Short mmCIF file of all heavy atoms in Angstrom, two decimals:
data_model
loop_
_atom_site.label_atom_id
_atom_site.label_comp_id
_atom_site.label_asym_id
_atom_site.label_seq_id
_atom_site.Cartn_x
_atom_site.Cartn_y
_atom_site.Cartn_z
N ASP A 464 -12.92 -6.11 4.70
CA ASP A 464 -14.11 -6.97 4.72
C ASP A 464 -13.82 -8.13 5.66
O ASP A 464 -13.16 -9.09 5.30
CB ASP A 464 -14.41 -7.48 3.31
CG ASP A 464 -15.66 -8.35 3.27
OD1 ASP A 464 -16.42 -8.33 4.25
OD2 ASP A 464 -15.86 -9.05 2.26
N GLY A 465 -14.31 -8.03 6.91
CA GLY A 465 -14.01 -9.08 7.87
C GLY A 465 -12.56 -9.05 8.24
O GLY A 465 -12.04 -8.04 8.69
N ASP A 466 -11.86 -10.15 8.03
CA ASP A 466 -10.44 -10.22 8.35
C ASP A 466 -9.56 -10.13 7.11
O ASP A 466 -8.42 -10.58 7.09
CB ASP A 466 -10.13 -11.53 9.10
CG ASP A 466 -10.63 -11.49 10.54
OD1 ASP A 466 -10.60 -10.39 11.13
OD2 ASP A 466 -11.07 -12.53 11.04
N GLY A 467 -10.09 -9.56 6.04
CA GLY A 467 -9.30 -9.41 4.83
C GLY A 467 -9.80 -8.22 4.03
O GLY A 467 -10.41 -7.31 4.55
N TRP A 468 -9.52 -8.21 2.74
CA TRP A 468 -9.90 -7.10 1.89
C TRP A 468 -10.54 -7.62 0.61
O TRP A 468 -10.18 -8.68 0.09
CB TRP A 468 -8.68 -6.26 1.52
CG TRP A 468 -8.09 -5.53 2.66
CD1 TRP A 468 -8.43 -4.31 3.11
CD2 TRP A 468 -7.03 -5.98 3.50
NE1 TRP A 468 -7.67 -3.95 4.18
CE2 TRP A 468 -6.78 -4.97 4.45
CE3 TRP A 468 -6.25 -7.15 3.56
CZ2 TRP A 468 -5.82 -5.07 5.42
CZ3 TRP A 468 -5.30 -7.26 4.53
CH2 TRP A 468 -5.08 -6.23 5.46
N ARG A 469 -11.46 -6.85 0.09
CA ARG A 469 -11.97 -7.12 -1.24
C ARG A 469 -10.96 -6.59 -2.23
O ARG A 469 -10.49 -5.46 -2.11
CB ARG A 469 -13.33 -6.43 -1.44
CG ARG A 469 -14.41 -6.87 -0.46
CD ARG A 469 -15.73 -6.21 -0.77
NE ARG A 469 -15.64 -4.75 -0.68
CZ ARG A 469 -15.73 -4.05 0.45
NH1 ARG A 469 -15.93 -4.70 1.61
NH2 ARG A 469 -15.64 -2.73 0.44
N GLU A 470 -10.62 -7.37 -3.22
CA GLU A 470 -9.62 -6.98 -4.21
C GLU A 470 -10.29 -6.23 -5.36
O GLU A 470 -10.75 -6.82 -6.32
CB GLU A 470 -8.85 -8.20 -4.75
CG GLU A 470 -8.00 -8.92 -3.70
CD GLU A 470 -6.73 -8.15 -3.39
OE1 GLU A 470 -6.53 -7.06 -3.90
OE2 GLU A 470 -5.92 -8.68 -2.60
N GLY A 471 -10.37 -4.90 -5.24
CA GLY A 471 -10.89 -4.10 -6.34
C GLY A 471 -9.94 -4.14 -7.51
O GLY A 471 -8.75 -4.47 -7.37
N PRO A 472 -10.39 -3.79 -8.70
CA PRO A 472 -9.55 -3.89 -9.89
C PRO A 472 -8.29 -3.04 -9.83
O PRO A 472 -7.27 -3.38 -10.42
CB PRO A 472 -10.48 -3.41 -11.02
CG PRO A 472 -11.57 -2.65 -10.32
CD PRO A 472 -11.73 -3.30 -8.99
N ASP A 473 -8.34 -1.90 -9.08
CA ASP A 473 -7.16 -1.04 -8.97
C ASP A 473 -6.22 -1.47 -7.86
O ASP A 473 -5.17 -0.87 -7.66
CB ASP A 473 -7.57 0.41 -8.75
CG ASP A 473 -8.39 0.59 -7.47
OD1 ASP A 473 -9.07 -0.37 -7.08
OD2 ASP A 473 -8.35 1.69 -6.90
N LEU A 474 -6.58 -2.53 -7.12
CA LEU A 474 -5.76 -2.98 -6.00
C LEU A 474 -5.20 -4.37 -6.20
O LEU A 474 -4.55 -4.91 -5.32
CB LEU A 474 -6.59 -2.95 -4.71
CG LEU A 474 -7.11 -1.58 -4.27
CD1 LEU A 474 -7.98 -1.71 -3.04
CD2 LEU A 474 -5.96 -0.62 -4.00
N LEU A 475 -5.46 -4.96 -7.35
CA LEU A 475 -4.94 -6.30 -7.61
C LEU A 475 -3.42 -6.26 -7.68
O LEU A 475 -2.83 -5.27 -8.11
CB LEU A 475 -5.50 -6.84 -8.92
CG LEU A 475 -7.00 -7.15 -8.92
CD1 LEU A 475 -7.45 -7.51 -10.33
CD2 LEU A 475 -7.33 -8.27 -7.96
N PRO A 476 -2.75 -7.33 -7.23
CA PRO A 476 -1.29 -7.35 -7.30
C PRO A 476 -0.79 -7.17 -8.73
O PRO A 476 -1.39 -7.70 -9.67
CB PRO A 476 -0.93 -8.74 -6.75
CG PRO A 476 -2.12 -9.18 -5.99
CD PRO A 476 -3.31 -8.57 -6.66
N ARG A 477 0.29 -6.43 -8.88
CA ARG A 477 0.91 -6.31 -10.19
C ARG A 477 1.70 -7.58 -10.49
O ARG A 477 1.94 -8.40 -9.62
CB ARG A 477 1.83 -5.09 -10.22
CG ARG A 477 1.09 -3.78 -10.02
CD ARG A 477 2.09 -2.65 -9.89
NE ARG A 477 1.41 -1.38 -9.63
CZ ARG A 477 2.01 -0.26 -9.27
NH1 ARG A 477 3.32 -0.27 -9.11
NH2 ARG A 477 1.33 0.84 -9.05
N LYS A 478 2.12 -7.70 -11.74
CA LYS A 478 2.90 -8.86 -12.14
C LYS A 478 4.15 -8.98 -11.27
O LYS A 478 4.90 -8.02 -11.10
CB LYS A 478 3.30 -8.76 -13.61
CG LYS A 478 3.99 -9.99 -14.14
CD LYS A 478 4.28 -9.87 -15.62
CE LYS A 478 4.97 -11.13 -16.15
NZ LYS A 478 5.26 -11.03 -17.60
N GLY A 479 4.36 -10.14 -10.70
CA GLY A 479 5.52 -10.39 -9.85
C GLY A 479 5.29 -10.10 -8.38
O GLY A 479 6.14 -10.40 -7.55
N GLU A 480 4.13 -9.48 -8.02
CA GLU A 480 3.83 -9.19 -6.63
C GLU A 480 3.04 -10.31 -6.00
O GLU A 480 2.23 -10.96 -6.67
CB GLU A 480 3.02 -7.89 -6.52
CG GLU A 480 3.80 -6.64 -6.87
CD GLU A 480 2.96 -5.39 -6.69
OE1 GLU A 480 1.72 -5.49 -6.80
OE2 GLU A 480 3.55 -4.32 -6.47
N ALA A 481 3.26 -10.54 -4.71
CA ALA A 481 2.52 -11.57 -4.00
C ALA A 481 1.09 -11.11 -3.76
O ALA A 481 0.78 -9.93 -3.74
CB ALA A 481 3.20 -11.87 -2.66
N SER A 482 0.20 -12.08 -3.58
CA SER A 482 -1.19 -11.77 -3.29
C SER A 482 -1.45 -11.99 -1.80
O SER A 482 -0.56 -12.38 -1.05
CB SER A 482 -2.12 -12.66 -4.13
OG SER A 482 -1.87 -14.03 -3.84
N GLY A 483 -2.68 -11.76 -1.38
CA GLY A 483 -3.05 -11.99 0.02
C GLY A 483 -2.41 -10.99 0.95
O GLY A 483 -1.96 -9.91 0.56
N LEU A 484 -2.36 -11.35 2.24
CA LEU A 484 -1.83 -10.45 3.26
C LEU A 484 -0.38 -10.09 3.00
O LEU A 484 0.03 -8.95 3.17
CB LEU A 484 -1.99 -11.09 4.64
CG LEU A 484 -1.40 -10.32 5.82
CD1 LEU A 484 -2.06 -8.94 5.94
CD2 LEU A 484 -1.56 -11.10 7.11
N SER A 485 0.42 -11.06 2.57
CA SER A 485 1.84 -10.80 2.33
C SER A 485 2.02 -9.73 1.26
O SER A 485 2.78 -8.77 1.43
CB SER A 485 2.54 -12.09 1.90
OG SER A 485 3.88 -11.83 1.53
N GLY A 486 1.31 -9.88 0.15
CA GLY A 486 1.43 -8.90 -0.92
C GLY A 486 0.87 -7.55 -0.53
O GLY A 486 1.46 -6.50 -0.82
N ARG A 487 -0.29 -7.57 0.13
CA ARG A 487 -0.92 -6.32 0.53
C ARG A 487 -0.03 -5.55 1.52
O ARG A 487 0.13 -4.35 1.42
CB ARG A 487 -2.29 -6.59 1.15
CG ARG A 487 -3.08 -5.35 1.55
CD ARG A 487 -3.61 -4.63 0.33
NE ARG A 487 -4.55 -5.47 -0.38
CZ ARG A 487 -5.85 -5.22 -0.51
NH1 ARG A 487 -6.37 -4.16 0.05
NH2 ARG A 487 -6.63 -6.02 -1.20
N SER A 488 0.54 -6.26 2.48
CA SER A 488 1.36 -5.60 3.49
C SER A 488 2.65 -5.05 2.87
O SER A 488 3.10 -3.97 3.24
CB SER A 488 1.68 -6.56 4.64
OG SER A 488 2.41 -7.68 4.17
N ASP A 489 3.24 -5.78 1.91
CA ASP A 489 4.45 -5.28 1.29
C ASP A 489 4.17 -4.04 0.45
O ASP A 489 4.96 -3.09 0.45
CB ASP A 489 5.09 -6.37 0.42
CG ASP A 489 6.43 -5.94 -0.14
OD1 ASP A 489 7.37 -5.74 0.66
OD2 ASP A 489 6.54 -5.77 -1.37
N ARG A 490 3.05 -4.04 -0.25
CA ARG A 490 2.68 -2.85 -1.01
C ARG A 490 2.41 -1.68 -0.08
O ARG A 490 2.77 -0.54 -0.38
CB ARG A 490 1.45 -3.14 -1.88
CG ARG A 490 1.78 -3.91 -3.17
CD ARG A 490 0.53 -4.19 -3.98
NE ARG A 490 -0.22 -5.31 -3.41
CZ ARG A 490 -1.50 -5.57 -3.68
NH1 ARG A 490 -2.18 -4.79 -4.47
NH2 ARG A 490 -2.10 -6.63 -3.15
N TYR A 491 1.79 -1.95 1.04
CA TYR A 491 1.55 -0.88 2.01
C TYR A 491 2.88 -0.33 2.54
O TYR A 491 3.07 0.89 2.62
CB TYR A 491 0.70 -1.37 3.18
CG TYR A 491 0.66 -0.37 4.30
CD1 TYR A 491 -0.11 0.79 4.18
CD2 TYR A 491 1.46 -0.52 5.44
CE1 TYR A 491 -0.10 1.75 5.18
CE2 TYR A 491 1.46 0.44 6.43
CZ TYR A 491 0.68 1.57 6.29
OH TYR A 491 0.70 2.53 7.27
N LEU A 492 3.79 -1.21 2.92
CA LEU A 492 5.08 -0.76 3.45
C LEU A 492 5.80 0.10 2.42
O LEU A 492 6.38 1.14 2.75
CB LEU A 492 5.95 -1.95 3.85
CG LEU A 492 7.35 -1.61 4.37
CD1 LEU A 492 7.27 -0.76 5.64
CD2 LEU A 492 8.16 -2.88 4.62
N GLY A 493 5.78 -0.33 1.15
CA GLY A 493 6.41 0.46 0.10
C GLY A 493 5.79 1.83 -0.02
O GLY A 493 6.48 2.85 -0.17
N CYS A 494 4.45 1.89 0.05
CA CYS A 494 3.74 3.16 -0.02
C CYS A 494 4.11 4.05 1.16
O CYS A 494 4.39 5.24 1.00
CB CYS A 494 2.24 2.91 -0.06
SG CYS A 494 1.22 4.40 -0.03
N LEU A 495 4.14 3.49 2.36
CA LEU A 495 4.46 4.25 3.57
C LEU A 495 5.87 4.83 3.49
O LEU A 495 6.08 6.03 3.71
CB LEU A 495 4.32 3.36 4.80
CG LEU A 495 4.74 3.98 6.14
CD1 LEU A 495 3.81 5.13 6.52
CD2 LEU A 495 4.77 2.92 7.24
N LEU A 496 6.85 3.99 3.16
CA LEU A 496 8.23 4.44 3.14
C LEU A 496 8.49 5.41 1.99
O LEU A 496 9.25 6.37 2.15
CB LEU A 496 9.18 3.24 3.06
CG LEU A 496 9.15 2.31 4.28
CD1 LEU A 496 10.09 1.13 4.06
CD2 LEU A 496 9.53 3.06 5.56
N ASP A 497 7.87 5.17 0.84
CA ASP A 497 8.02 6.12 -0.27
C ASP A 497 7.45 7.48 0.12
O ASP A 497 8.03 8.53 -0.19
CB ASP A 497 7.32 5.60 -1.52
CG ASP A 497 8.07 4.46 -2.18
OD1 ASP A 497 9.23 4.21 -1.80
OD2 ASP A 497 7.49 3.81 -3.07
N GLY A 498 6.29 7.46 0.77
CA GLY A 498 5.68 8.72 1.19
C GLY A 498 6.51 9.45 2.23
O GLY A 498 6.72 10.66 2.14
N LEU A 499 6.99 8.72 3.22
CA LEU A 499 7.82 9.34 4.26
C LEU A 499 9.15 9.82 3.69
O LEU A 499 9.83 10.66 4.30
CB LEU A 499 8.07 8.36 5.41
CG LEU A 499 6.85 7.93 6.21
CD1 LEU A 499 7.25 6.96 7.32
CD2 LEU A 499 6.12 9.14 6.80
N GLY A 500 9.52 9.29 2.53
CA GLY A 500 10.74 9.74 1.86
C GLY A 500 10.62 11.12 1.24
O GLY A 500 11.62 11.69 0.82
N LYS A 501 9.40 11.65 1.17
CA LYS A 501 9.20 13.01 0.69
C LYS A 501 9.32 13.97 1.89
O LYS A 501 8.49 13.90 2.80
CB LYS A 501 7.81 13.18 0.06
CG LYS A 501 7.44 12.11 -0.94
CD LYS A 501 8.29 12.17 -2.17
CE LYS A 501 7.84 11.12 -3.19
NZ LYS A 501 8.73 11.09 -4.38
N PRO A 502 10.31 14.83 1.94
CA PRO A 502 10.43 15.72 3.09
C PRO A 502 9.17 16.53 3.31
O PRO A 502 8.60 17.10 2.37
CB PRO A 502 11.63 16.62 2.72
CG PRO A 502 12.45 15.77 1.81
CD PRO A 502 11.45 14.98 1.00
N ALA A 503 8.70 16.57 4.54
CA ALA A 503 7.48 17.30 4.87
C ALA A 503 7.73 18.80 4.77
O ALA A 503 8.79 19.30 5.12
CB ALA A 503 7.00 16.94 6.27
N THR A 504 6.73 19.53 4.29
CA THR A 504 6.80 20.97 4.17
C THR A 504 6.01 21.63 5.31
O THR A 504 5.26 20.96 6.03
CB THR A 504 6.21 21.43 2.84
OG1 THR A 504 4.81 21.07 2.80
CG2 THR A 504 6.93 20.75 1.66
N ARG A 505 6.17 22.93 5.44
CA ARG A 505 5.36 23.65 6.42
C ARG A 505 3.87 23.51 6.10
O ARG A 505 3.04 23.34 7.00
CB ARG A 505 5.75 25.13 6.47
CG ARG A 505 7.05 25.38 7.21
CD ARG A 505 7.32 26.87 7.38
NE ARG A 505 8.55 27.07 8.17
CZ ARG A 505 8.61 27.15 9.49
NH1 ARG A 505 7.48 27.08 10.18
NH2 ARG A 505 9.74 27.31 10.11
N GLY A 506 3.54 23.58 4.81
CA GLY A 506 2.15 23.41 4.43
C GLY A 506 1.62 22.04 4.78
O GLY A 506 0.47 21.90 5.23
N GLY A 507 2.45 21.01 4.60
CA GLY A 507 2.03 19.66 4.95
C GLY A 507 1.80 19.50 6.43
O GLY A 507 0.80 18.90 6.85
N HIS A 508 2.71 20.03 7.23
CA HIS A 508 2.53 19.96 8.69
C HIS A 508 1.29 20.75 9.13
O HIS A 508 0.51 20.28 9.96
CB HIS A 508 3.76 20.52 9.40
CG HIS A 508 4.92 19.57 9.45
ND1 HIS A 508 4.86 18.33 10.06
CD2 HIS A 508 6.20 19.68 8.98
CE1 HIS A 508 6.03 17.73 9.97
NE2 HIS A 508 6.86 18.53 9.32
#
């Protein structure tokens, strides 16, 4: 939404997590690295 995000109820920071861009970006990085940590399969490719 513009230069930020609307915080839907399922996207609010968990306890101990930062809010705003810092929190959102850290959660994204965790999601990206956790996902890339799953070895890709032939079906996935």
Side-chain angles (χ1 to χ4, degrees):
D464 181 15
D466 286 326
W468 292 273
R469 300 183 300 277
E470 295 285 3
D473 60 332
L474 298 176
L475 292 173
R477 297 173 183 169
K478 186 176 181 180
E480 291 182 333
S482 60
L484 176 60
S485 174
R487 183 73 63 114
S488 61
D489 186 65
R490 281 179 282 162
Y491 169 75
L492 178 62
C494 176
L495 175 66
L496 295 178
D497 286 349
L499 295 180
K501 311 293 183 184
T504 63
R505 284 187 177 271
H508 282 300

